[in-house]
Amino acid sequence: MSGLKDYVNTRVGDHREQIEYHVREILKLIGEDVKREGLLETPARVTRMYEEIFAGYEVDPRDVLGVTFEENHEELVIVKDIVYYSQCEHHMAPFFGKAHIGYIPSGRIAGLSKLARLVEAVTRRLQVQERITSQIADIMEEVLQPKGVMVVVEGEHLCMCSRGVKKPGSKTVTSAVRGSFRKDAASRAEFLSLIKD
Ligand SMILES: Nc1nc2c(ncn2[C@@H]2O[C@H](COP(=O)(O)OP(=O)(O)OP(=O)(O)O)[C@@H](O)[C@H]2O)c(=O)[nH]1
Ligand SMILES: [Zn+2]
């Protein structure tokens, strides 16, 4: 999954048995006894967890912004502190944090919950934080055609905490800027000051 076109791929729920089989095989290969009590249900549990954490593959994120309203508010609208959980595509390890979305409408506004649903649809996949950030901005731009959009995503990556470089607490911050925000430093500054805690 890379560009804007192929958002809907598959449903984990359509491949439950195969996924359970492969999880069981991995458990054996890492040296576990798949017959011990604590592991009997693990392949099925992991598969159920995958249905949740990879639910984004079933959704075209553009559709979740489908309900919009005509409104003449042409000032900044921000939904901030949208908590997300995603999985890094390099290690399949969780990363999580908060997304902040700001836009200046041009005649159409989105239902506020739909911005949080958009975050869900792009994060419940294998991802990198930069792509989450630009996809949110691109989809906002494509569907709402606002004057401008700005997105900031903060994330803590467990692949940098429990393994590898082992730097718990380090935060990655990514931003994407579209439309009028590109030219207008004052709008960018207003957005950044309003998303501060
Ligand atoms: N840019 C970016 N990198 C990420 C993201 N999530 C994980 N990574 C990085 O992906 C890189 C993969 O690097 P590799 O050298 O192929 O893998 P590795 O040997 O496991 O790397 P280390 O984590 O440094 O041990 C690592 O530097 C990760 O920190 C992300 O969302 N964005
Ligand atoms: Zn990683």
PDB file of all heavy atoms in Angstrom, residues 10-32:
ATOM      1  N   THR A  10      -7.726  -5.992   1.993  1.00  0.00           N
ATOM      2  CA  THR A  10      -8.220  -7.310   2.382  1.00  0.00           C
ATOM      3  C   THR A  10      -8.867  -7.227   3.757  1.00  0.00           C
ATOM      4  O   THR A  10      -8.790  -6.213   4.428  1.00  0.00           O
ATOM      5  CB  THR A  10      -7.048  -8.317   2.410  1.00  0.00           C
ATOM      6  OG1 THR A  10      -7.565  -9.624   2.632  1.00  0.00           O
ATOM      7  CG2 THR A  10      -6.051  -7.995   3.514  1.00  0.00           C
ATOM      8  N   ARG A  11      -9.499  -8.313   4.141  1.00  0.00           N
ATOM      9  CA  ARG A  11     -10.046  -8.428   5.486  1.00  0.00           C
ATOM     10  C   ARG A  11      -9.332  -9.568   6.194  1.00  0.00           C
ATOM     11  O   ARG A  11      -9.338 -10.690   5.695  1.00  0.00           O
ATOM     12  CB  ARG A  11     -11.535  -8.771   5.423  1.00  0.00           C
ATOM     13  CG  ARG A  11     -12.436  -7.676   4.923  1.00  0.00           C
ATOM     14  CD  ARG A  11     -13.828  -8.261   4.707  1.00  0.00           C
ATOM     15  NE  ARG A  11     -14.345  -8.871   5.914  1.00  0.00           N
ATOM     16  CZ  ARG A  11     -15.021  -8.198   6.836  1.00  0.00           C
ATOM     17  NH1 ARG A  11     -15.260  -6.920   6.682  1.00  0.00           N
ATOM     18  NH2 ARG A  11     -15.469  -8.809   7.903  1.00  0.00           N
ATOM     19  N   VAL A  12      -8.731  -9.265   7.341  1.00  0.00           N
ATOM     20  CA  VAL A  12      -8.106 -10.331   8.130  1.00  0.00           C
ATOM     21  C   VAL A  12      -9.126 -11.441   8.375  1.00  0.00           C
ATOM     22  O   VAL A  12      -8.810 -12.632   8.301  1.00  0.00           O
ATOM     23  CB  VAL A  12      -7.565  -9.769   9.470  1.00  0.00           C
ATOM     24  CG1 VAL A  12      -7.161 -10.890  10.406  1.00  0.00           C
ATOM     25  CG2 VAL A  12      -6.389  -8.828   9.212  1.00  0.00           C
ATOM     26  N   GLY A  13     -10.367 -11.039   8.605  1.00  0.00           N
ATOM     27  CA  GLY A  13     -11.423 -12.006   8.920  1.00  0.00           C
ATOM     28  C   GLY A  13     -11.651 -13.042   7.828  1.00  0.00           C
ATOM     29  O   GLY A  13     -12.213 -14.110   8.089  1.00  0.00           O
ATOM     30  N   ASP A  14     -11.218 -12.749   6.611  1.00  0.00           N
ATOM     31  CA  ASP A  14     -11.380 -13.721   5.521  1.00  0.00           C
ATOM     32  C   ASP A  14     -10.267 -14.765   5.505  1.00  0.00           C
ATOM     33  O   ASP A  14     -10.311 -15.697   4.697  1.00  0.00           O
ATOM     34  CB  ASP A  14     -11.388 -13.005   4.160  1.00  0.00           C
ATOM     35  CG  ASP A  14     -12.615 -12.118   4.001  1.00  0.00           C
ATOM     36  OD1 ASP A  14     -13.623 -12.381   4.696  1.00  0.00           O
ATOM     37  OD2 ASP A  14     -12.554 -11.169   3.206  1.00  0.00           O
ATOM     38  N   HIS A  15      -9.250 -14.583   6.372  1.00  0.00           N
ATOM     39  CA  HIS A  15      -8.090 -15.486   6.314  1.00  0.00           C
ATOM     40  C   HIS A  15      -7.730 -15.996   7.701  1.00  0.00           C
ATOM     41  O   HIS A  15      -6.572 -16.297   7.977  1.00  0.00           O
ATOM     42  CB  HIS A  15      -6.877 -14.743   5.738  1.00  0.00           C
ATOM     43  CG  HIS A  15      -7.160 -14.036   4.462  1.00  0.00           C
ATOM     44  ND1 HIS A  15      -7.318 -14.700   3.279  1.00  0.00           N
ATOM     45  CD2 HIS A  15      -7.343 -12.725   4.190  1.00  0.00           C
ATOM     46  CE1 HIS A  15      -7.585 -13.816   2.320  1.00  0.00           C
ATOM     47  NE2 HIS A  15      -7.611 -12.618   2.855  1.00  0.00           N
ATOM     48  N   ARG A  16      -8.744 -16.098   8.560  1.00  0.00           N
ATOM     49  CA  ARG A  16      -8.451 -16.442   9.964  1.00  0.00           C
ATOM     50  C   ARG A  16      -7.648 -17.725  10.113  1.00  0.00           C
ATOM     51  O   ARG A  16      -6.649 -17.765  10.817  1.00  0.00           O
ATOM     52  CB  ARG A  16      -9.765 -16.582  10.740  1.00  0.00           C
ATOM     53  CG  ARG A  16     -10.199 -15.289  11.356  1.00  0.00           C
ATOM     54  CD  ARG A  16     -11.294 -15.492  12.381  1.00  0.00           C
ATOM     55  NE  ARG A  16     -12.098 -14.293  12.357  1.00  0.00           N
ATOM     56  CZ  ARG A  16     -13.306 -14.198  11.835  1.00  0.00           C
ATOM     57  NH1 ARG A  16     -13.887 -15.246  11.317  1.00  0.00           N
ATOM     58  NH2 ARG A  16     -13.935 -13.047  11.836  1.00  0.00           N
ATOM     59  N   GLU A  17      -8.116 -18.797   9.434  1.00  0.00           N
ATOM     60  CA  GLU A  17      -7.466 -20.106   9.639  1.00  0.00           C
ATOM     61  C   GLU A  17      -6.014 -20.082   9.210  1.00  0.00           C
ATOM     62  O   GLU A  17      -5.139 -20.627   9.896  1.00  0.00           O
ATOM     63  CB  GLU A  17      -8.206 -21.182   8.850  1.00  0.00           C
ATOM     64  CG  GLU A  17      -9.373 -21.740   9.614  1.00  0.00           C
ATOM     65  CD  GLU A  17     -10.092 -22.833   8.837  1.00  0.00           C
ATOM     66  OE1 GLU A  17      -9.443 -23.519   8.027  1.00  0.00           O
ATOM     67  OE2 GLU A  17     -11.310 -22.950   9.047  1.00  0.00           O
ATOM     68  N   GLN A  18      -5.750 -19.433   8.061  1.00  0.00           N
ATOM     69  CA  GLN A  18      -4.365 -19.368   7.574  1.00  0.00           C
ATOM     70  C   GLN A  18      -3.480 -18.582   8.521  1.00  0.00           C
ATOM     71  O   GLN A  18      -2.340 -18.947   8.791  1.00  0.00           O
ATOM     72  CB  GLN A  18      -4.317 -18.688   6.203  1.00  0.00           C
ATOM     73  CG  GLN A  18      -4.599 -19.615   5.044  1.00  0.00           C
ATOM     74  CD  GLN A  18      -4.805 -18.799   3.795  1.00  0.00           C
ATOM     75  OE1 GLN A  18      -5.860 -18.185   3.636  1.00  0.00           O
ATOM     76  NE2 GLN A  18      -3.812 -18.776   2.933  1.00  0.00           N
ATOM     77  N   ILE A  19      -4.014 -17.464   9.030  1.00  0.00           N
ATOM     78  CA  ILE A  19      -3.201 -16.645   9.939  1.00  0.00           C
ATOM     79  C   ILE A  19      -2.909 -17.429  11.221  1.00  0.00           C
ATOM     80  O   ILE A  19      -1.773 -17.473  11.693  1.00  0.00           O
ATOM     81  CB  ILE A  19      -3.884 -15.295  10.225  1.00  0.00           C
ATOM     82  CG1 ILE A  19      -3.947 -14.464   8.927  1.00  0.00           C
ATOM     83  CG2 ILE A  19      -3.130 -14.520  11.313  1.00  0.00           C
ATOM     84  CD1 ILE A  19      -4.768 -13.202   9.016  1.00  0.00           C
ATOM     85  N   GLU A  20      -3.937 -18.111  11.748  1.00  0.00           N
ATOM     86  CA  GLU A  20      -3.715 -18.921  12.957  1.00  0.00           C
ATOM     87  C   GLU A  20      -2.643 -19.975  12.701  1.00  0.00           C
ATOM     88  O   GLU A  20      -1.751 -20.196  13.531  1.00  0.00           O
ATOM     89  CB  GLU A  20      -5.019 -19.621  13.381  1.00  0.00           C
ATOM     90  CG  GLU A  20      -5.992 -18.672  14.034  1.00  0.00           C
ATOM     91  CD  GLU A  20      -7.260 -19.384  14.490  1.00  0.00           C
ATOM     92  OE1 GLU A  20      -7.205 -20.594  14.810  1.00  0.00           O
ATOM     93  OE2 GLU A  20      -8.312 -18.722  14.510  1.00  0.00           O
ATOM     94  N   TYR A  21      -2.721 -20.624  11.538  1.00  0.00           N
ATOM     95  CA  TYR A  21      -1.736 -21.654  11.189  1.00  0.00           C
ATOM     96  C   TYR A  21      -0.322 -21.070  11.222  1.00  0.00           C
ATOM     97  O   TYR A  21       0.594 -21.631  11.820  1.00  0.00           O
ATOM     98  CB  TYR A  21      -2.057 -22.233   9.805  1.00  0.00           C
ATOM     99  CG  TYR A  21      -0.944 -23.096   9.249  1.00  0.00           C
ATOM    100  CD1 TYR A  21      -0.818 -24.436   9.630  1.00  0.00           C
ATOM    101  CD2 TYR A  21      -0.008 -22.571   8.361  1.00  0.00           C
ATOM    102  CE1 TYR A  21       0.214 -25.223   9.142  1.00  0.00           C
ATOM    103  CE2 TYR A  21       1.032 -23.345   7.873  1.00  0.00           C
ATOM    104  CZ  TYR A  21       1.138 -24.674   8.267  1.00  0.00           C
ATOM    105  OH  TYR A  21       2.170 -25.440   7.790  1.00  0.00           O
ATOM    106  N   HIS A  22      -0.157 -19.911  10.591  1.00  0.00           N
ATOM    107  CA  HIS A  22       1.194 -19.341  10.487  1.00  0.00           C
ATOM    108  C   HIS A  22       1.693 -18.821  11.831  1.00  0.00           C
ATOM    109  O   HIS A  22       2.892 -18.920  12.127  1.00  0.00           O
ATOM    110  CB  HIS A  22       1.226 -18.236   9.418  1.00  0.00           C
ATOM    111  CG  HIS A  22       1.103 -18.799   8.022  1.00  0.00           C
ATOM    112  ND1 HIS A  22       2.107 -19.520   7.427  1.00  0.00           N
ATOM    113  CD2 HIS A  22       0.083 -18.776   7.134  1.00  0.00           C
ATOM    114  CE1 HIS A  22       1.722 -19.908   6.215  1.00  0.00           C
ATOM    115  NE2 HIS A  22       0.493 -19.469   6.016  1.00  0.00           N
ATOM    116  N   VAL A  23       0.810 -18.302  12.660  1.00  0.00           N
ATOM    117  CA  VAL A  23       1.237 -17.869  14.007  1.00  0.00           C
ATOM    118  C   VAL A  23       1.723 -19.094  14.780  1.00  0.00           C
ATOM    119  O   VAL A  23       2.772 -19.062  15.450  1.00  0.00           O
ATOM    120  CB  VAL A  23       0.089 -17.157  14.756  1.00  0.00           C
ATOM    121  CG1 VAL A  23       0.462 -16.923  16.224  1.00  0.00           C
ATOM    122  CG2 VAL A  23      -0.260 -15.835  14.081  1.00  0.00           C
ATOM    123  N   ARG A  24       0.987 -20.216  14.671  1.00  0.00           N
ATOM    124  CA  ARG A  24       1.387 -21.443  15.367  1.00  0.00           C
ATOM    125  C   ARG A  24       2.770 -21.887  14.880  1.00  0.00           C
ATOM    126  O   ARG A  24       3.627 -22.281  15.677  1.00  0.00           O
ATOM    127  CB  ARG A  24       0.340 -22.536  15.109  1.00  0.00           C
ATOM    128  CG  ARG A  24       0.344 -23.648  16.143  1.00  0.00           C
ATOM    129  CD  ARG A  24      -0.827 -24.600  15.983  1.00  0.00           C
ATOM    130  NE  ARG A  24      -2.111 -24.003  16.301  1.00  0.00           N
ATOM    131  CZ  ARG A  24      -3.080 -23.739  15.413  1.00  0.00           C
ATOM    132  NH1 ARG A  24      -2.909 -24.030  14.144  1.00  0.00           N
ATOM    133  NH2 ARG A  24      -4.200 -23.184  15.801  1.00  0.00           N
ATOM    134  N   GLU A  25       2.997 -21.800  13.575  1.00  0.00           N
ATOM    135  CA  GLU A  25       4.296 -22.203  13.020  1.00  0.00           C
ATOM    136  C   GLU A  25       5.420 -21.313  13.568  1.00  0.00           C
ATOM    137  O   GLU A  25       6.498 -21.789  13.898  1.00  0.00           O
ATOM    138  CB  GLU A  25       4.282 -22.138  11.481  1.00  0.00           C
ATOM    139  CG  GLU A  25       3.388 -23.172  10.820  1.00  0.00           C
ATOM    140  CD  GLU A  25       3.728 -24.605  11.245  1.00  0.00           C
ATOM    141  OE1 GLU A  25       4.860 -25.053  10.998  1.00  0.00           O
ATOM    142  OE2 GLU A  25       2.848 -25.260  11.861  1.00  0.00           O
ATOM    143  N   ILE A  26       5.160 -20.008  13.651  1.00  0.00           N
ATOM    144  CA  ILE A  26       6.194 -19.093  14.187  1.00  0.00           C
ATOM    145  C   ILE A  26       6.479 -19.439  15.645  1.00  0.00           C
ATOM    146  O   ILE A  26       7.640 -19.490  16.066  1.00  0.00           O
ATOM    147  CB  ILE A  26       5.765 -17.610  14.023  1.00  0.00           C
ATOM    148  CG1 ILE A  26       5.815 -17.231  12.538  1.00  0.00           C
ATOM    149  CG2 ILE A  26       6.679 -16.689  14.843  1.00  0.00           C
ATOM    150  CD1 ILE A  26       5.247 -15.861  12.222  1.00  0.00           C
ATOM    151  N   LEU A  27       5.418 -19.720  16.415  1.00  0.00           N
ATOM    152  CA  LEU A  27       5.627 -20.093  17.817  1.00  0.00           C
ATOM    153  C   LEU A  27       6.547 -21.309  17.918  1.00  0.00           C
ATOM    154  O   LEU A  27       7.464 -21.349  18.745  1.00  0.00           O
ATOM    155  CB  LEU A  27       4.281 -20.387  18.493  1.00  0.00           C
ATOM    156  CG  LEU A  27       3.420 -19.165  18.797  1.00  0.00           C
ATOM    157  CD1 LEU A  27       2.028 -19.598  19.267  1.00  0.00           C
ATOM    158  CD2 LEU A  27       4.076 -18.277  19.853  1.00  0.00           C
ATOM    159  N   LYS A  28       6.313 -22.301  17.046  1.00  0.00           N
ATOM    160  CA  LYS A  28       7.181 -23.496  17.065  1.00  0.00           C
ATOM    161  C   LYS A  28       8.613 -23.101  16.729  1.00  0.00           C
ATOM    162  O   LYS A  28       9.564 -23.547  17.374  1.00  0.00           O
ATOM    163  CB  LYS A  28       6.697 -24.510  16.021  1.00  0.00           C
ATOM    164  CG  LYS A  28       5.422 -25.228  16.368  1.00  0.00           C
ATOM    165  CD  LYS A  28       5.127 -26.248  15.254  1.00  0.00           C
ATOM    166  CE  LYS A  28       3.666 -26.633  15.227  1.00  0.00           C
ATOM    167  NZ  LYS A  28       3.296 -27.311  13.971  1.00  0.00           N
ATOM    168  N   LEU A  29       8.762 -22.241  15.713  1.00  0.00           N
ATOM    169  CA  LEU A  29      10.109 -21.907  15.235  1.00  0.00           C
ATOM    170  C   LEU A  29      10.905 -21.074  16.240  1.00  0.00           C
ATOM    171  O   LEU A  29      12.142 -21.089  16.217  1.00  0.00           O
ATOM    172  CB  LEU A  29      10.023 -21.164  13.887  1.00  0.00           C
ATOM    173  CG  LEU A  29       9.577 -22.051  12.717  1.00  0.00           C
ATOM    174  CD1 LEU A  29       9.244 -21.205  11.496  1.00  0.00           C
ATOM    175  CD2 LEU A  29      10.657 -23.076  12.375  1.00  0.00           C
ATOM    176  N   ILE A  30      10.211 -20.346  17.133  1.00  0.00           N
ATOM    177  CA  ILE A  30      10.975 -19.608  18.147  1.00  0.00           C
ATOM    178  C   ILE A  30      11.246 -20.480  19.378  1.00  0.00           C
ATOM    179  O   ILE A  30      11.813 -20.013  20.363  1.00  0.00           O
ATOM    180  CB  ILE A  30      10.304 -18.269  18.571  1.00  0.00           C
ATOM    181  CG1 ILE A  30       8.936 -18.497  19.226  1.00  0.00           C
ATOM    182  CG2 ILE A  30      10.171 -17.318  17.379  1.00  0.00           C
ATOM    183  CD1 ILE A  30       8.322 -17.224  19.799  1.00  0.00           C
ATOM    184  N   GLY A  31      10.827 -21.741  19.314  1.00  0.00           N
ATOM    185  CA  GLY A  31      11.184 -22.687  20.368  1.00  0.00           C
ATOM    186  C   GLY A  31      10.100 -22.952  21.385  1.00  0.00           C
ATOM    187  O   GLY A  31      10.353 -23.520  22.442  1.00  0.00           O
ATOM    188  N   GLU A  32       8.873 -22.552  21.082  1.00  0.00           N
ATOM    189  CA  GLU A  32       7.789 -22.733  22.046  1.00  0.00           C
ATOM    190  C   GLU A  32       7.091 -24.083  21.866  1.00  0.00           C
ATOM    191  O   GLU A  32       7.129 -24.691  20.794  1.00  0.00           O
ATOM    192  CB  GLU A  32       6.757 -21.598  21.884  1.00  0.00           C
ATOM    193  CG  GLU A  32       7.020 -20.419  22.797  1.00  0.00           C
ATOM    194  CD  GLU A  32       6.893 -20.769  24.280  1.00  0.00           C
ATOM    195  OE1 GLU A  32       6.449 -21.901  24.602  1.00  0.00           O
ATOM    196  OE2 GLU A  32       7.255 -19.928  25.127  1.00  0.00           O
TER     197      GLU A  32
END
